[in-house]
Amino acid sequence: MFLWLISWIAVAGQAAFAIFSLAAGLYYIAELVEEYSVLAKKIITYLVVAVITIYIGLLVFDGFPWTLILVGLLSHVFFASLIVTFPVISILSPGFIGGTVLLLIAHYLAFQYFATEWYPFQEVLAFFFLCLWLVPFLFFISLSANDLVLPTLDQQDGQRRRPRRSGFLALFDFMASKLGSVSPSRSSKYT
């Protein structure tokens, strides 16, 4: 009984460690996209072309349904239209809205298809990761790439300050500020 309890505590610790590791990795990727936005644009462009090629291969070689392939291709065409203005991505642009709506429809069609056709779990996961999640996730990570990362001169009071971040990095900054207000500080009580 005691070993069973310890195993559940260990699983909870492993899950917390995995979540923190994932968050640190995502933060690092977001910083890299901010720093090397031209390279990130090239990588995303190549990945969009690769995903479109995968969709065509799935249609030709594996006989996936036309509707799933067509909706997936259209969503990636919409996402490809975002590459033109890459570091600046407007959430209200037709490319972003169209790509997101078609992505949700593609998820529904994929769930419907994989519910009727049996494939090993690895193949289903590979389809979802490569065809449905990879490119939109990279655009989500790069939402903060259009922020100015160097300190700028404020027009109103003439002081230098770092502009507010938006997107993915703003979420981490918000979580860090909330965690800092809840956790005890390391300041000396003699000051």
Side-chain angles (χ1 to χ4, degrees):
M1 178 71 177
F2 185 67
L3 185 59
W4 178 80
L5 179 65
I6 291 174
S7 68
W8 279 106
I9 292 171
V11 166
Q14 292 166 359
F17 181 75
I19 289 170
F20 287 132
S21 297
L22 180 65
L26 292 177
Y27 187 80
Y28 180 69
I29 291 171
E31 288 286 340
L32 285 177
V33 168
E34 261 189 14
E35 185 72 26
Y36 304 105
S37 61
V38 174
L39 180 62
K41 179 178 180 177
K42 287 180 185 178
I43 290 172
I44 292 174
T45 303
Y46 291 139
L47 285 174
V48 167
V49 171
V51 170
I52 289 173
T53 305
I54 290 171
Y55 270 120
I56 293 170
L58 289 172
L59 179 66
V60 172
F61 298 117
D62 284 337
F64 270 56
W66 277 93
T67 54
L68 176 60
I69 299 298
L70 186 64
V71 169
L73 286 173
L74 284 176
S75 71
H76 280 77
V77 167
F78 274 102
F79 287 133
S81 71
L82 296 174
I83 294 174
V84 176
T85 62
F86 172 62
V88 179
I89 297 173
S90 174
I91 297 176
L92 299 176
S93 69
F96 189 85
I97 293 172
T100 303
V101 168
L102 287 172
L103 181 69
L104 293 173
I105 294 170
H107 272 83
Y108 172 75
L109 293 173
F111 282 129
Q112 191 176 31
Y113 175 69
F114 287 117
T116 58
E117 296 287 328
W118 185 87
Y119 284 92
F121 179 70
Q122 286 179 323
E123 293 177 12
V124 175
L125 190 61
F127 174 80
F128 274 89
F129 176 73
L130 292 175
C131 295
L132 296 179
W133 298 337
L134 184 62
V135 172
F137 183 71
L138 289 175
F139 277 115
F140 174 71
I141 291 291
S142 64
L143 281 175
S144 62
N146 62 346
D147 291 343
L148 301 173
V149 293
L150 296 175
T152 57
L153 188 63
D154 191 12
Q155 297 297 330
Q156 293 174 350
D157 58 4
Q159 294 183 358
R160 291 199 173 275
R161 67 177 72 183
R162 186 180 178 133
R164 281 190 42 194
R165 292 181 173 186
S166 63
F168 193 66
L169 293 178
L171 176 66
F172 279 116
D173 290 341
F174 174 75
M175 289 174 21
S177 70
K178 290 298 178 186
L179 184 62
S181 66
V182 172
S183 63
S185 64
R186 298 184 55 105
S187 63
S188 173
K189 60 183 176 181
Y190 299 111
T191 56

